[in-house]
Amino acid sequence: MSEALLEAEKAYRLGEVPVGAVIEKDGQIIGRGHNLTETWKDPTAHGEMLALREAAKTLGDWRLTGCNLYVTAEPCAMCAGAIVWSRIKKLYIGTMDAKAGACGSVFNIPQEQRLNHFVEIETGMMQEECQTIMREFFQAVRAKKSKEKQL
């Protein structure tokens, strides 16, 4: 998760929502990503999606069987669907997202029994650190908006 946090910090420095993700197989990181939606003007450029793409390229296969995904914040519905389709073995989540999370909060897509693949989930890994970077980011965003309003 510490590597995913490094990815989240990259997103933060770019003004992106600080979500970072890494994919590991057999102890080796094979994919990394952080949010780039604002930078690329692409609604699919979430950290998880970019890490999945890189891992698939590394393995030469879209099936990421035996791979584990570490992400600093609970994935949304789009990312949760991609996690299922890519056959991720286990998903480690730093902090949950009560408003848009699709891995246990609002929905639980990776463990939906009607789908073709079931993903193990572990939550709360480095939770304090993952919550802190999100909290600091959104405090800065609110402060900037407040300052702009005053002008």
Side-chain angles (χ1 to χ4, degrees):
M1 188 61 77
S2 58
E3 291 293 321
L5 270 166
L6 292 174
E7 291 297 317
E9 289 169 8
K10 291 177 187 177
Y12 190 108
R13 288 192 299 273
L14 292 170
E16 298 276 355
V17 175
V19 175
V22 295
I23 297 176
E24 165 270 324
K25 182 172 184 165
D26 300 326
Q28 298 290 332
I29 294 176
I30 61 167
R32 296 174 174 273
H34 56 273
N35 279 3
L36 289 170
T37 14
E38 297 296 334
T39 303
W40 291 0
K41 308 297 183 221
D42 179 351
T44 68
H46 290 195
E48 303 94 308
M49 299 295 283
L50 300 178
L52 288 167
R53 288 177 189 145
E54 186 174 293
K57 185 175 181 182
T58 299
L59 294 180
D61 194 349
W62 62 269
R63 291 174 193 87
L64 303 179
T65 308
C67 295
N68 300 307
L69 170 59
Y70 297 78
V71 62
T72 57
E74 183 180 1
C76 69
M78 172 185 68
C79 294
I83 289 164
V84 171
W85 296 126
S86 66
R87 314 298 199 272
I88 288 292
K89 178 182 177 184
K90 188 163 183 178
L91 171 63
Y92 295 89
I93 302 169
T95 188
M96 301 302 278
D97 182 348
K99 293 182 180 179
C103 299
S105 290
V106 179
F107 304 105
N108 193 353
I109 293 169
Q111 296 185 331
E112 171 55 56
Q113 296 293 325
R114 294 171 288 182
L115 295 177
N116 68 325
H117 181 70
F118 183 89
V119 180
E120 296 175 54
I121 298 175
E122 183 177 322
T123 63
M125 183 177 247
M126 296 182 71
Q127 182 174 340
E128 187 175 323
E129 296 91 331
C130 294
Q131 287 175 336
T132 298
I133 194 169
M134 293 294 272
R135 183 174 45 253
E136 288 175 358
F137 175 80
F138 285 109
Q139 284 173 345
V141 167
R142 285 190 294 277
K144 182 179 177 185
K145 285 183 180 180
S146 177
K147 190 174 184 178
E148 287 173 353
K149 254 186 177 179
Q150 292 173 1
L151 299 175

